[in-house]
PDB file of all heavy atoms in Angstrom:
ATOM      1  N   GLU A 550      -7.581  -3.752   9.125  1.00 98.00           N
ATOM      2  CA  GLU A 550      -8.461  -2.798   9.799  1.00 98.00           C
ATOM      3  C   GLU A 550      -9.616  -3.422  10.580  1.00 98.00           C
ATOM      4  O   GLU A 550     -10.647  -2.763  10.773  1.00 98.00           O
ATOM      5  CB  GLU A 550      -9.034  -1.851   8.741  1.00 98.00           C
ATOM      6  CG  GLU A 550     -10.054  -2.474   7.763  1.00 98.00           C
ATOM      7  CD  GLU A 550      -9.482  -2.940   6.428  1.00 98.00           C
ATOM      8  OE1 GLU A 550      -8.266  -3.214   6.365  1.00 98.00           O
ATOM      9  OE2 GLU A 550     -10.238  -3.037   5.451  1.00 98.00           O
ATOM     10  N   HIS A 583      -3.972   4.870   8.146  1.00 98.00           N
ATOM     11  CA  HIS A 583      -4.751   4.156   7.125  1.00 98.00           C
ATOM     12  C   HIS A 583      -5.750   3.192   7.772  1.00 98.00           C
ATOM     13  O   HIS A 583      -6.940   3.214   7.462  1.00 98.00           O
ATOM     14  CB  HIS A 583      -3.791   3.401   6.208  1.00 98.00           C
ATOM     15  CG  HIS A 583      -4.456   2.603   5.126  1.00 98.00           C
ATOM     16  ND1 HIS A 583      -4.615   3.072   3.852  1.00 98.00           N
ATOM     17  CD2 HIS A 583      -5.012   1.372   5.149  1.00 98.00           C
ATOM     18  CE1 HIS A 583      -5.246   2.165   3.122  1.00 98.00           C
ATOM     19  NE2 HIS A 583      -5.494   1.108   3.891  1.00 98.00           N
ATOM     20  N   GLU A 584      -5.250   2.360   8.670  1.00 98.00           N
ATOM     21  CA  GLU A 584      -6.134   1.360   9.283  1.00 98.00           C
ATOM     22  C   GLU A 584      -7.202   2.050  10.131  1.00 98.00           C
ATOM     23  O   GLU A 584      -8.350   1.650  10.134  1.00 98.00           O
ATOM     24  CB  GLU A 584      -5.344   0.353  10.129  1.00 98.00           C
ATOM     25  CG  GLU A 584      -4.204  -0.356   9.402  1.00 98.00           C
ATOM     26  CD  GLU A 584      -4.574  -0.952   8.052  1.00 98.00           C
ATOM     27  OE1 GLU A 584      -5.748  -1.324   7.869  1.00 98.00           O
ATOM     28  OE2 GLU A 584      -3.695  -1.018   7.170  1.00 98.00           O
ATOM     29  N   HIS A 587      -9.987   3.447   8.019  1.00 98.00           N
ATOM     30  CA  HIS A 587     -10.910   2.427   7.519  1.00 98.00           C
ATOM     31  C   HIS A 587     -12.157   2.315   8.404  1.00 98.00           C
ATOM     32  O   HIS A 587     -13.180   1.810   7.959  1.00 98.00           O
ATOM     33  CB  HIS A 587     -10.224   1.057   7.486  1.00 98.00           C
ATOM     34  CG  HIS A 587      -9.577   0.702   6.174  1.00 98.00           C
ATOM     35  ND1 HIS A 587     -10.209   0.858   4.967  1.00 98.00           N
ATOM     36  CD2 HIS A 587      -8.364   0.147   5.891  1.00 98.00           C
ATOM     37  CE1 HIS A 587      -9.406   0.433   3.989  1.00 98.00           C
ATOM     38  NE2 HIS A 587      -8.285   0.001   4.524  1.00 98.00           N
ATOM     39  N   LYS A 605     -13.199   1.022  -0.643  1.00 98.00           N
ATOM     40  CA  LYS A 605     -12.594   1.253   0.662  1.00 98.00           C
ATOM     41  C   LYS A 605     -11.098   1.552   0.552  1.00 98.00           C
ATOM     42  O   LYS A 605     -10.599   2.396   1.273  1.00 98.00           O
ATOM     43  CB  LYS A 605     -12.867   0.082   1.618  1.00 98.00           C
ATOM     44  CG  LYS A 605     -12.092  -1.218   1.362  1.00 98.00           C
ATOM     45  CD  LYS A 605     -12.422  -2.257   2.450  1.00 98.00           C
ATOM     46  CE  LYS A 605     -11.747  -3.601   2.260  1.00 98.00           C
ATOM     47  NZ  LYS A 605     -10.378  -3.676   2.771  1.00 98.00           N
ATOM     48  N   GLU A 606     -10.401   0.866  -0.360  1.00 98.00           N
ATOM     49  CA  GLU A 606      -8.946   1.032  -0.371  1.00 98.00           C
ATOM     50  C   GLU A 606      -8.492   2.325  -1.046  1.00 98.00           C
ATOM     51  O   GLU A 606      -7.666   3.056  -0.512  1.00 98.00           O
ATOM     52  CB  GLU A 606      -8.270  -0.190  -1.005  1.00 98.00           C
ATOM     53  CG  GLU A 606      -8.436  -1.483  -0.201  1.00 98.00           C
ATOM     54  CD  GLU A 606      -7.994  -1.377   1.252  1.00 98.00           C
ATOM     55  OE1 GLU A 606      -7.284  -0.415   1.601  1.00 98.00           O
ATOM     56  OE2 GLU A 606      -8.369  -2.269   2.050  1.00 98.00           O
ATOM     57  N   THR A 609      -9.399   5.139   1.219  1.00 98.00           N
ATOM     58  CA  THR A 609      -8.637   5.194   2.465  1.00 98.00           C
ATOM     59  C   THR A 609      -7.171   5.569   2.209  1.00 98.00           C
ATOM     60  O   THR A 609      -6.566   6.294   2.993  1.00 98.00           O
ATOM     61  CB  THR A 609      -8.771   3.866   3.242  1.00 98.00           C
ATOM     62  OG1 THR A 609     -10.169   3.618   3.433  1.00 98.00           O
ATOM     63  CG2 THR A 609      -8.095   3.941   4.590  1.00 98.00           C
ATOM     64  N   TYR A 667      -5.307   0.238  -5.135  1.00 98.00           N
ATOM     65  CA  TYR A 667      -4.943   1.095  -4.006  1.00 98.00           C
ATOM     66  C   TYR A 667      -4.500   2.490  -4.462  1.00 98.00           C
ATOM     67  O   TYR A 667      -5.071   3.499  -4.065  1.00 98.00           O
ATOM     68  CB  TYR A 667      -3.811   0.461  -3.200  1.00 98.00           C
ATOM     69  CG  TYR A 667      -4.271  -0.527  -2.152  1.00 98.00           C
ATOM     70  CD1 TYR A 667      -4.816  -1.754  -2.498  1.00 98.00           C
ATOM     71  CD2 TYR A 667      -4.138  -0.248  -0.801  1.00 98.00           C
ATOM     72  CE1 TYR A 667      -5.218  -2.667  -1.530  1.00 98.00           C
ATOM     73  CE2 TYR A 667      -4.533  -1.153   0.182  1.00 98.00           C
ATOM     74  CZ  TYR A 667      -5.073  -2.363  -0.189  1.00 98.00           C
ATOM     75  OH  TYR A 667      -5.471  -3.260   0.767  1.00 98.00           O
ATOM     76  N   LEU A1160       1.542  -1.594   1.228  1.00 28.00           N
ATOM     77  CA  LEU A1160       1.689  -0.497   2.168  1.00 28.00           C
ATOM     78  C   LEU A1160       3.145  -0.295   2.546  1.00 28.00           C
ATOM     79  O   LEU A1160       3.457   0.370   3.506  1.00 28.00           O
ATOM     80  CB  LEU A1160       0.848  -0.787   3.396  1.00 28.00           C
ATOM     81  CG  LEU A1160      -0.630  -0.794   3.077  1.00 28.00           C
ATOM     82  CD1 LEU A1160      -1.416  -1.492   4.156  1.00 28.00           C
ATOM     83  CD2 LEU A1160      -1.133   0.616   2.891  1.00 28.00           C
TER      84      LEU A1160
HETATM   85 ZN1   ZN B1322      -6.607  -0.476   3.392  1.00 60.92          ZN
END
Side-chain angles (χ1 to χ4, degrees):
E550 70 264 24
H583 179 97
E584 306 311 331
H587 267 313
K605 73 177 178 84
E606 294 306 344
T609 305
Y667 274 69
L1160 294 162

